[in-house]
Every structure is written in C-alpha cells, then in structure tokens.
Amino acid sequence: MDPATVTGICIIIAVFGVVFWLPVIVFFPVIRSIADRIAGRSAATAQIGDLQKKVLLLEHEVTELRTRQLSLEDTHKFDQELTKKRKD
C-alpha cells in the first residue's frame, strides 16, 4: 500500500471514531442519569437510605436517654423520701 492510501484509511477510521465516540462521551452522563432514574437508583435514594439509618440511630439514643432519665427520677424520689424520713 502506498502512504496516501494508508493516510486516507487512517483519516476515515479517525472520522468514524470521532463521529461514533463523541456522542457517547458527551451524552453518557445524561444516558446514565436516565437509566438510574428508570432503575430507581438515584442520589436521592442513597441520601434517603442514609437519613433512615441516622433516624434509627437517633431513635435508639432517645430511648436510652429516656430510660436513664426515668432511672434518675426514681433515684431522686428515693433520695427525697430518705431525707424526708430523716427529718421527721
């Protein structure tokens, strides 16, 4: 093959490569976003899952705090009754 033919073939391959790959590269984020939305996988879904975990953790902590508060109230009432009996 002569150099002109090889150069021509390379140019044709390059043009077809650019024509084919450029839209794929440019529109890939849009296509991926649409596919994720159809599949139900979006950034919002991940954030909702994280928020649900945080809510469960906070609910557990609130339950622990309530239990501790009730225990302290019982202890305080007991102490008050003891000091009241000593005064009487």
Side-chain angles (χ1 to χ4, degrees):
M1 280 197 206
D2 62 14
T5 306
V6 173
T7 305
I9 292 173
C10 288
I11 290 173
I12 290 172
I13 291 172
V15 168
F16 279 119
V18 168
V19 168
F20 177 75
W21 286 108
L22 186 64
V24 171
I25 292 170
V26 170
F27 293 115
F28 180 75
V30 175
I31 293 168
R32 185 173 180 180
S33 173
I34 292 169
D36 285 345
R37 186 164 291 210
I38 290 170
R41 299 175 307 210
S42 65
T45 305
Q47 289 176 349
I48 290 172
D50 291 341
L51 289 175
Q52 287 175 340
K53 288 178 185 177
K54 288 179 182 179
V55 166
L56 288 174
L57 178 67
L58 290 172
E59 286 176 346
H60 179 69
E61 288 182 11
V62 167
T63 304
E64 282 185 20
L65 288 173
R66 285 183 180 159
T67 305
R68 288 180 184 177
Q69 179 197 10
L70 291 173
S71 174
L72 287 172
E73 284 178 359
D74 289 342
T75 305
H76 182 66
K77 285 179 185 178
F78 180 74
D79 289 343
Q80 282 182 343
E81 289 177 13
L82 281 179
T83 55
K84 186 178 179 181
K85 286 181 181 179
R86 284 186 189 171
K87 289 181 182 178
D88 291 338

